[in-house]
Amino acid sequence: MFRPGSKLVHPFNPELGVGLVRQIEGRFLTVFFPEVDREVVLSATGAGLTRLVLPQGSRARLLSEQEDVVIAEARGHSYLLADGREVPDADLWPLGRSDTPLERLATLELDSVEAFRNRLQGLELMELREAGGLGSFLGGRVQLFPHQLHAAMRAVDADPVRWLLADEVGLGKTVEACLILSALVRTGRAERALVIAPSTLTIQWLGELYRKFHQVFVLLDNERIESVELDYGEGVNPFEVHPLAVISLELLASDARLLGQAQEAGLELVVLDEAHRLVGEEITRALGPLVRGARHALLLTATPLQSDRRGFFSLLSLLHPEAFESFEAFDAAVESEGATLPCTTAVRREDVGGLPPRVPLAVELPPPGEELSVDPRAHWIAAQATAWREAGEKALVFVRERATLEELRAFLEGETGTRVTVFHEDLLPAKRDLEIAAFRESGVPILLSTEAGGEGRNFQFCDRMVHFDLPLDPVELEQRIGRLDRIGRNKPVEIVYFRHAKAEVDLAGLYERLELFSRPAAGLDSALACVGPAIEAAMENYERLDVDALVSAVEEARDSASDSLTRVFYPDAYRPEQAAEVLARVPDDLEDKTQAYCIEAAEDLGFECLEKGGAARFYIEFGSGATVDAIPGVPGGSRFLGTFDREEAIVEEEMDFFASGHPLVEGLLLELEDGVRGRATLMEVPAGRIRGSGMACVFKRGAEWEVVIMGADGEEHPEWRESFLEALPRARDAKPEKWGIGHSWAEGIRSLGARVKRDGDLVATAFFRAV
């Protein structure tokens, strides 16, 4: 196979260039690579090691004569030149050549028809997933709601992106923020991004970004920060070591040195969850400069304008200090309906067609005793737990005090003989998520939670919510209910609470009259802010609570909140009638085309692809049978179990979602763009309306692509284009030797290609003959 003077290219190190076999000893070759001035000993039987055969039409240097020649035909270990001479392989050295599709076709370095067809599938997929501006948002493992897509598109169209997400509770602000963040990171507009969230939500943010949006962020906690100093040295900036990170608001705001490092890191995107906490003077002073200094910033708040105008202004001034010179100017603009807030999303429930109703269920019980063992609430929950478990139902039970939670857990586990999961502020972040996973995935019917579970968490998979006791602050009650009362829920929200006649302060009766169990409290934060202190004062001083006055104030605020929404003009605000228009941009066949391209590409590269049932489940392994060592972002040995179907991916979160942003999908598309697979082919196509032979040239401009057909007669034939594309599935590979390709082939192809004039890059060519 090899002789001294043979040429080869190392299969796993092509960057070495062409190698010259200098010596053969048994099974070993001594090979010199002149491009890198390096000599290497290789096994002649090494995987993929083959002799380099110069293709017809290629150019080479005839060493003995020091002249450039053209190869006409390879004959074993010699070559016939275009001028008729035959020379030995050892006397030729290949000249550097263009690796364009046209040149590959001219020199008969051919790919299969399947590879060419797969390249066109990839080009179609890349164009399709742009989806009229939605492309960056369609890879998330989320149900596609038009108001979220609308908000994300508006935000990403701006530069810089400095946006306030102030939708009503339960409408998916976190998803909106993730859509925007993912688009900025994927398109290179933000290479350093930091998510700041309450400590109870940091792990949830990590999970949302990874499981739903294929974004790998790092949690910067005390342990991680210490490891940066150990691994990289004292004083090294953790935000530079980990450019994509999540950190707790409490940790960052309390550590001046850490805050300074964050500001020095040159963050391009800051995302701040529960941003209404910034209204406090101390925390604003700490985090305000970080938000102002980032090019892009997203603030998420559950406090809308009509609830707290001054707080809303504080957030707005962090994002766009130039918009209003003072609160007084802002307030006057709002009153005169002259305020314009182009950087704000403030969608209401009525804008999305409403959510399933709240269904209050009051349980009349005698007063609780001193001990939990005789507390009728605990006995009621224990009695229901068995039925819930047998029905496969889940109940989220809120308890005000941590100590009470632990007592209730012990009592319920003793009474029911089954595990009860818990969620509270003293659990480590990772442990919180493990408890929720155990609750969701196992037969455990109850999760006990303190108020730590009432902020930001999504528990809409629960069948009901039980208030073991009611919070003294009605805003906290609304936060609790918002864990279930969220967009995407398809069944009523059952809200269980207890009433007893001898309560010192009848919280249940008060909250019933305020309609908090049956109606959302959007826009009522300011009015409700006075309710909590009034309750506490009544309990401490044994005073009678003036329920009528509180109810009157809240009802008035509810009416004015509804009226004030029209006072502020949000340019291009989402309207319900836009839903169909937004969703129409989402291609119906995007998932099918993603599957078709990826499976064919993976199989063509030698990956193992096995169907696993379901809607579109596959096991894909980058194993030893692969024809490549790696594709961008996916090393050899990688294994994936996932689905191409969005609905299946949403339900089966433990599986990968093969969509935009997934490493395998992106890796296969990058392999297509960077590699040579499918660049040039010879094929025979069913005749149909095509007569004779010709060349198909594929051009790409941005996301758009075009096929141009040039006949062998040197004329363009646009009328053949559709017939050619329709015939591709039935086309078959052609053998050059059967076509009797002669010495003039290479120059003929180059001449034909020179006649095709189009803007864009030539990315593939195919010469075809109609049969």
Side-chain angles (χ1 to χ4, degrees):
M1 180 179 181
F2 293 102
R3 296 180 180 181
S6 294
K7 268 73 71 177
L8 57 80
V9 175
H10 196 290
F12 304 132
N13 300 100
E15 68 277 4
L16 295 175
V18 177
L20 174 68
V21 178
R22 284 181 165 174
Q23 185 177 348
I24 301 176
E25 293 184 6
R27 296 186 297 106
F28 295 97
L29 311 176
T30 301
V31 183
F32 177 65
F33 293 91
E35 286 188 29
V36 294
D37 193 25
R38 180 177 167 189
E39 192 170 84
V40 178
V41 176
L42 302 172
S43 170
T45 58
L49 200 63
T50 58
R51 187 170 69 91
L52 175 65
V53 178
L54 303 182
Q56 176 186 346
S58 63
R59 296 175 175 86
R61 186 75 168 171
L62 183 60
L63 301 176
S64 59
E65 302 293 335
Q66 290 298 296
E67 64 174 299
D68 294 345
V69 296
V70 177
I71 304 298
E73 181 183 339
R75 295 181 172 179
H77 288 275
S78 65
Y79 290 91
L80 179 67
L81 305 181
D83 60 11
R85 288 179 291 172
E86 185 169 347
V87 298
D89 179 18
D91 198 20
L92 292 171
W93 188 259
L95 294 176
R97 62 177 178 80
S98 168
D99 202 31
T100 65
L102 190 66
E103 192 62 26
R104 292 178 66 83
L105 184 60
T107 57
L108 295 176
E109 292 187 62
L110 303 175
D111 305 299
S112 66
V113 172
E114 287 79 6
F116 176 83
R117 186 165 53 230
N118 188 235
R119 177 166 288 276
L120 266 58
Q121 286 178 313
L123 293 172
E124 183 182 17
L125 176 60
M126 285 188 282
E127 181 179 24
L128 184 68
R129 69 182 193 160
E130 289 301 308
L134 286 181
S136 297
F137 313 123
L138 298 182
R141 187 201 298 263
V142 293
Q143 188 174 347
L144 299 177
F145 291 107
H147 74 280
Q148 294 174 339
L149 294 174
H150 181 268
M153 284 191 294
R154 285 179 59 211
V156 171
D157 282 346
D159 192 29
V161 177
R162 300 185 64 78
W163 215 259
L164 180 59
L165 300 174
D167 296 347
E168 279 190 27
V169 173
L171 295 186
K173 290 185 291 292
T174 301
V175 169
E176 289 176 355
C178 285
L179 287 168
I180 297 166
L181 177 152
S182 184
L184 293 176
V185 171
R186 280 188 56 204
T187 57
R189 293 172 64 185
E191 296 182 355
R192 293 184 179 276
L194 179 66
V195 175
I196 306 168
S199 60
T200 55
L201 300 179
T202 53
I203 295 294
Q204 179 178 323
W205 267 96
L206 286 176
E208 292 278 303
L209 287 166
Y210 179 71
R211 288 194 303 267
K212 295 184 178 179
F213 293 92
H214 315 298
Q215 295 289 345
V216 181
F217 276 58
V218 166
L219 176 63
L220 283 180
D221 54 11
N222 285 319
E223 184 179 353
R224 176 81 64 174
I225 293 167
E226 289 173 7
S227 73
V228 167
E229 294 205 345
L230 287 174
D231 295 342
Y232 298 93
E234 187 175 353
V236 173
N237 193 326
F239 299 97
E240 293 180 354
V241 175
H242 299 293
L244 301 177
V246 175
I247 193 168
S248 81
L249 184 151
E250 296 89 340
L251 173 61
L252 186 60
S254 64
D255 190 327
R257 178 172 177 267
L258 191 61
L259 193 56
Q261 289 176 316
Q263 293 173 8
E264 293 167 3
L267 297 171
E268 292 160 313
L269 170 63
V270 169
V271 179
L272 180 58
D273 197 4
E274 304 294 336
H276 42 273
R277 297 190 181 197
L278 276 180
V279 174
E281 184 176 337
E282 183 176 339
I283 201 165
T284 300
R285 188 165 54 249
L287 298 184
L290 187 63
V291 175
R292 294 189 191 97
R295 176 169 181 78
H296 307 294
L298 298 176
L299 303 184
L300 289 71
T301 178
T303 305
L305 168 66
Q306 65 272 23
S307 170
D308 181 3
R309 193 174 293 184
R310 188 174 290 276
F312 193 93
F313 169 74
S314 297
L315 299 181
L316 187 66
S317 62
L318 282 175
L319 295 172
H320 294 281
E322 76 288 351
F324 300 97
E325 61 183 20
S326 65
F327 171 70
E328 288 71 25
F330 171 74
D331 193 48
V334 172
E335 287 297 326
S336 65
E337 301 188 25
T340 300
L341 308 177
C343 65
T344 305
T345 301
V347 178
R348 302 163 296 179
R349 290 177 178 231
E350 62 196 68
D351 296 329
V352 299
L355 274 63
R358 298 180 178 187
V359 180
L361 177 60
V363 179
E364 301 283 355
L365 292 175
E370 295 294 327
E371 301 293 333
L372 264 177
S373 60
V374 294
D375 192 316
R377 298 171 297 178
H379 283 278
W380 186 90
I381 294 172
Q384 301 298 314
T386 300
W388 293 339
R389 184 176 64 246
E390 291 175 353
E393 295 178 349
K394 306 288 184 182
L396 174 62
V397 180
F398 275 104
V399 185
R400 276 206 307 261
E401 302 295 335
R402 164 77 192 285
T404 307
L405 179 147
E406 294 296 348
E407 289 183 55
L408 183 58
R409 174 168 68 168
F411 174 80
L412 292 175
E413 288 183 339
E415 287 290 307
T416 64
T418 187
R419 180 187 174 191
V420 173
T421 51
V422 297
F423 187 96
H424 54 76
E425 54 279 354
D426 293 330
L427 289 176
L428 293 174
K431 179 63 174 174
R432 294 173 193 153
D433 268 39
L434 288 174
E435 287 288 293
I436 292 175
F439 172 53
R440 178 170 187 164
E441 305 299 332
S442 69
V444 176
I446 294 172
L447 174 74
L448 301 180
S449 176
T450 62
E451 304 302 341
E455 193 171 55
R457 283 280 175 175
N458 183 348
F459 289 105
Q460 66 174 283
F461 61 88
C462 292
D463 296 277
R464 62 186 51 81
M465 169 181 297
V466 179
H467 300 279
F468 182 80
D469 44 29
L470 290 167
L472 303 183
D473 185 346
V475 175
E476 289 183 357
L477 176 63
E478 181 64 21
Q479 287 280 6
R480 286 184 179 187
I481 297 173
R483 300 316 95 214
L484 271 66
D485 189 8
R486 308 178 68 81
I487 194 164
R489 186 178 182 89
N490 54 17
K491 56 186 174 184
V493 181
E494 183 180 309
I495 303 169
V496 179
Y497 58 97
F498 301 103
R499 280 195 307 217
H500 59 91
K502 296 184 179 180
E504 293 178 10
V505 174
D506 185 8
L507 289 179
L510 171 62
Y511 292 161
E512 285 173 341
R513 288 195 58 186
L514 294 176
E515 299 184 89
L516 298 181
F517 295 121
S518 56
R519 294 178 63 184
L524 302 182
D525 293 41
S526 292
L528 293 175
C530 65
V531 176
I535 293 173
E536 291 184 8
M539 295 178 69
E540 290 175 5
N541 302 319
Y542 301 98
E543 297 175 350
R544 178 180 173 276
L545 188 64
D546 191 346
V547 174
D548 290 338
L550 292 174
V551 170
S552 176
V554 171
E555 286 179 347
E556 182 179 347
R558 199 186 294 271
D559 293 338
S560 64
S562 177
D563 293 340
S564 70
L565 279 168
T566 60
R567 290 180 144 190
V568 180
F569 176 54
Y570 300 106
D572 194 30
Y574 176 76
R575 302 184 306 278
E577 58 268 25
Q578 291 178 296
E581 175 191 344
V582 173
L583 292 179
R585 299 190 194 184
V586 181
D588 292 336
D589 54 353
L590 178 61
E591 292 164 19
D592 292 338
K593 290 189 181 297
T594 302
Q595 176 181 330
Y597 167 72
C598 290
I599 294 301
E600 290 195 28
E603 289 179 340
D604 197 32
L605 292 169
F607 294 14
E608 183 179 7
C609 302
L610 301 175
E611 288 192 63
K612 288 294 182 178
R617 296 185 196 179
F618 283 85
Y619 170 76
I620 301 175
E621 181 175 344
F622 189 166
S624 58
T627 59
V628 293
D629 293 324
I631 60 175
V634 183
S638 298
R639 299 177 177 87
F640 304 94
L641 176 63
T643 177
F644 291 92
D645 183 80
R646 179 181 303 278
E647 296 302 321
E648 187 171 48
I650 291 172
V651 174
E652 304 287 348
E653 284 199 349
E654 71 280 3
M655 292 194 303
D656 284 15
F657 180 33
F658 298 132
S660 296
H662 187 279
L664 179 64
V665 176
E666 297 306 313
L668 290 172
L669 286 170
L670 285 172
E671 184 276 335
L672 177 83
E673 290 204 84
D674 299 340
V676 298
R677 187 175 60 87
R679 296 269 187 193
T681 190
L682 284 184
M683 66 175 71
E684 294 177 342
V685 299
R689 287 172 289 178
I690 300 175
R691 294 289 181 266
S693 57
M695 183 168 68
C697 297
V698 185
F699 291 88
K700 187 173 185 291
R701 295 177 299 278
E704 298 179 348
W705 59 287
E706 175 188 14
V707 177
V708 178
I709 305 294
M710 179 68 70
D713 57 4
E715 300 293 331
E716 280 195 31
H717 287 273
E719 72 278 9
W720 289 0
R721 181 182 180 278
E722 292 303 319
S723 297
F724 173 78
L725 294 175
E726 291 172 3
L728 267 182
R730 292 169 290 144
R732 59 176 183 264
D733 291 306
K735 303 294 184 183
E737 58 271 21
K738 289 188 177 181
W739 278 15
I741 290 176
H743 300 165
S744 61
W745 166 265
E747 291 306 318
I749 290 296
R750 294 180 184 122
S751 175
L752 202 58
R755 292 174 175 266
V756 185
K757 305 295 183 184
R758 288 293 190 280
D759 293 332
D761 299 323
L762 179 65
V763 295
T765 57
F767 197 89
F768 60 87
R769 180 178 291 174
V771 295

